[in-house]
Amino acid sequence: MQLVLLKSKIHRACVSIADVEYEGSIEIPSDLMEAVGLIDGERVLVTSASKGGRLETYAQAGKPGTGTIIMNGGAAHVIKAGERITIMAFALSKTPIVPLKVVCNEKNEILRKI
């Protein structure tokens, strides 16, 4: 049996910019993506702790070290700048996996790995 298991989690990140005019996705600094094993184009679930919005999109690697997370396209109507979010990716596996998880501050700097 294949299970769908959490593989990557960025917890308590903060949306820096919401750009409705972009074609879609969430842009995440590549260094933050690397910390949790996300790859460019990977499907992610994004949830808002601020207002309860929830959506699926794909991760797009942004410039490392900026701390800038951008909600693009229609997703920017659901989750807006300033909202605290959790970004999660899942994997199919027949055996348990240990997810890579980080907690961020309001500048999207990693506070700790969990």
Side-chain angles (χ1 to χ4, degrees):
M1 169 176 53
Q2 293 266 2
L3 301 171
V4 180
L5 302 169
L6 180 69
K7 81 171 237 339
S8 306
K9 181 178 179 181
I10 301 170
H11 188 63
R12 301 283 302 157
C14 187
V15 176
S16 310
I17 300 167
D19 184 1
V20 176
E21 298 304 319
Y22 188 80
E23 63 197 40
S25 76
I26 181 171
E27 185 175 310
I28 305 165
S30 60
D31 56 330
L32 193 51
M33 289 176 62
E34 289 171 15
V36 295
L38 279 175
I39 61 169
D40 196 51
E42 187 169 1
R43 183 168 117 184
V44 293
L45 173 64
V46 183
T47 62
S48 170
S50 301
K51 296 191 179 173
R54 184 179 193 95
L55 59 92
E56 284 188 10
T57 188
Y58 62 93
Q60 179 178 351
K63 187 175 178 183
T66 62
T68 302
I69 294 180
I70 305 171
M71 291 301 307
N72 289 309
H77 289 293
V78 179
I79 298 176
K80 303 189 181 310
E83 291 189 42
R84 297 304 290 257
I85 60 171
T86 298
I87 304 164
M88 295 165 278
F90 300 85
L92 290 173
S93 179
K94 289 184 178 184
T95 60
I97 59 175
V98 178
L100 298 174
K101 302 184 281 185
V102 297
V103 177
C104 294
N105 65 14
E106 66 281 346
K107 295 179 185 176
N108 298 319
E109 298 165 328
I110 296 173
L111 293 175
R112 66 184 183 279
K113 295 183 179 188
I114 53 175

